[in-house]
Every structure is written in structure tokens, then in C-alpha cells.
Amino acid sequence: MEEEFIQSRQNPRVKLLSKLRDRSGRRKLGLFVVEGLRELSRCVEAVGVEEIYFCPEFFKSAEHSQFIDKIRAECEIPICRLSEGAFEKVSNREGCDGLLGVAKQWGCLLSDIDLSAYKNPTILVADSIEKPGNLGALIRSADSLGAGAIILTNSVSDIFNPAVVRASQGAVFSAQIALSTPQEASQWLKERGIKTFGAHLGASDFLWDADMSIPSAIVVGSEKDGLGEDWNALLDCKVKIPMSGLSDSMNVNVAGAIFLYEALRQKSE
């Protein structure tokens, strides 16, 4: 397979890659960028990529060269070398490692979620999450702690944002993720006998007082305002994490991880 070497920052393909840094460009083209050895390797294995760009001058280890050698030997994915200047223009990272792939976006539908492998599932529902880093970290925590699916309601952040992909450490490629309204998500969960537990500062009960040993959905809200009124009216149970000190809230990923750990603990018992 012929291998191209692009040196100019003004090359049309470099300009196209730059457009994928913005949500509007990703949506228009139906593509997104995956950067970094770990994330790109996981994307290749889980969902595949359309093409790979590399700049050996930025490689951090022998593994980076070995990755490109393997892709080159398999002759299945087009690869293209970029100059340092061209790669810096398309990279979303400081201290980039010289590897970047382009992948197709996929649908995120509730109807695509399959819980048949889970006898007693835990679902994470994230409402109105604004910061891509927080959303990616939530996806990573949910994946690490055995959540069967992640449902995003009133979605603000785009799961194909490079910052989401990076913060998830590639979990976005293997986790079951759906976009939904709160009402649709609540109905979907009820139809499957999954009880909703909302992380709520105004709750009277602590999270360990709730019975999450049953099929459960943990609902966490935005970094700034917590759960909105739409979810408040739909929850089966409101619980809180006990806190002391001046702060009255936690980072949403920390709160979500604590709830997921408690659900895992109860189910394990």
C-alpha cells in the first residue's frame, strides 16, 4: 500500500483533519479523531479506523514504531506520515506522541443497548455533563466498575470530542453508550425493572442506606447544578454521599465512582 508523506500545514487533508477538532466539523463529516498510542490501539481493536497519520519525530517509545510497523505490515488501514509542523496543526494535545487516527462516528441509541449478559445490571445515567474531561472520566469509571451501559441525557458534551476519548482512556470504544431524554431513559429503565437512584444533595438518606443490590441505575447530574427538575420527578429514590467540610459537592466523576463502587459492593455481597 502506497504511503504518502505530507509536509505542508496547508495541505487539504491537514485542513480537513483540523476541522475534526470542532463539533460542527465532526458532525458534518461523521468522523472523529483518536489521538495517542493507547487510545488509537483500542479504537483499532474495538471499532476500527479509516486511516492513520503519524509523525515519528514525536514518538515517545519503541512501542509507537512497533504499532506503525504492525499496521504497515497488515496492509489493511491506510497510513500517512506528517511533518512535525503538519502534525502539530492537527494534534489536540500538548506533548503529542505522533499517532492519530480517523474513525467513523456511530449511533448511540437506547434500542442498541443489550443487557442480556448482565443478570443484575448497574447502569450509569449522566445528565447535562458539560466538561468533556468529566464525561470521559465517567465513562472510564463506569467501564472499570462493571456498568452494563451508560445513558447520557440532556447531553452537552459530545462523546466524540477528543478530550472525552482521551479521558475515557479508550473506554468509549467498548462501553455501551446511548443518548436519550430523561423521560425516554426513565421509561426504558422501568420496562426492564431497573430502579433509579439519584445523587441528590437534598436527599435525607445516604447511599449505603439504599438497596442497590437489585438492578440499579445511578443518576448523576451536571457539575454546576446537579440533577435537573425533569429527573427529580422521575427518580425512584434520592440519596446522597455524606460530606463534611466547606464544600457541598464533589466532582461528578468522583461522585459517580463512589456510587458505582457502592452498587458493586452490595451486588458482590
Side-chain angles (χ1 to χ4, degrees):
M1 186 179 294
E2 187 176 350
E3 197 171 301
E4 188 177 357
F5 180 24
I6 296 175
Q7 301 187 58
S8 172
R9 294 167 61 96
Q10 303 307 315
N11 182 279
R13 290 174 68 182
V14 171
K15 290 182 178 180
L16 185 144
L17 287 171
S18 298
K19 291 180 181 179
L20 298 180
R21 300 176 68 170
D22 298 323
R23 187 170 189 169
S24 60
R26 292 192 296 272
R27 184 179 297 163
K28 181 179 180 180
L29 296 169
L31 302 170
F32 69 105
V33 164
V34 183
E35 188 171 355
L37 176 61
R38 175 175 49 200
E39 293 82 355
L40 185 54
S41 297
R42 292 178 178 174
C43 185
V44 169
E45 292 177 6
V47 298
V49 298
E50 298 297 293
E51 52 193 2
I52 291 174
Y53 295 84
F54 70 100
C55 179
E57 288 81 5
F58 290 130
F59 284 177
K60 304 293 187 184
S61 70
E63 289 183 272
H64 291 71
S65 296
Q66 291 165 7
F67 173 80
I68 285 296
D69 289 341
K70 182 176 183 293
I71 296 296
R72 185 182 285 128
E74 291 173 349
C75 297
E76 294 179 356
I77 303 171
I79 58 176
C80 175
R81 180 176 175 178
L82 298 181
S83 68
E84 293 175 76
F87 198 93
E88 285 176 334
K89 182 172 181 177
V90 301
S91 173
N92 286 279
R93 300 185 179 184
E94 292 184 10
C96 62
D97 72 353
L99 287 175
L100 181 149
V102 177
K104 285 184 178 180
Q105 296 186 21
W106 57 85
C108 298
L109 304 176
L110 276 174
S111 58
D112 290 334
I113 292 179
D114 180 7
L115 298 179
S116 59
Y118 300 88
K119 294 182 179 179
N120 187 4
T122 299
I123 308 296
L124 177 67
V125 180
D127 184 67
S128 302
I129 306 302
E130 298 178 5
K131 297 180 180 179
N134 282 342
L135 178 56
L138 274 169
I139 294 171
R140 178 183 174 187
S141 295
D143 178 70
S144 299
L145 296 171
I150 302 155
I151 301 174
L152 308 179
T153 60
N154 294 319
S155 181
V156 179
S157 290
D158 169 18
I159 70 165
F160 302 109
N161 185 309
V164 173
V165 174
R166 182 178 188 180
S168 78
Q169 291 197 347
V172 69
F173 305 126
S174 56
Q176 296 193 92
I177 304 173
L179 303 178
S180 170
T181 66
Q183 293 75 18
E184 290 170 343
S186 175
Q187 182 62 33
W188 186 89
L189 292 164
K190 288 183 185 299
E191 289 173 354
R192 287 155 182 79
I194 300 173
K195 188 174 181 179
T196 52
F197 297 87
H200 201 288
L201 290 174
S204 56
D205 294 328
F206 294 133
L207 75 162
W208 53 65
D209 295 320
D211 181 10
M212 290 187 281
S213 65
I214 60 175
S216 312
I218 295 161
V219 189
V220 296
S222 74
E223 301 92 331
K224 181 181 177 181
D225 301 315
L227 287 174
E229 288 303 314
D230 44 9
W231 264 115
N232 283 336
L234 297 168
L235 293 170
D236 295 314
C237 183
K238 298 177 184 178
V239 288
K240 63 182 179 181
I241 299 169
M243 297 184 64
S244 60
L246 295 176
S247 178
D248 63 353
S249 64
M250 291 181 172
N251 173 278
V252 66
N253 175 52
V254 173
I258 290 172
F259 271 85
L260 288 165
Y261 263 117
E262 178 60 18
L264 179 62
R265 182 190 69 82
Q266 292 188 23
K267 286 177 168 61
S268 298
E269 292 179 347

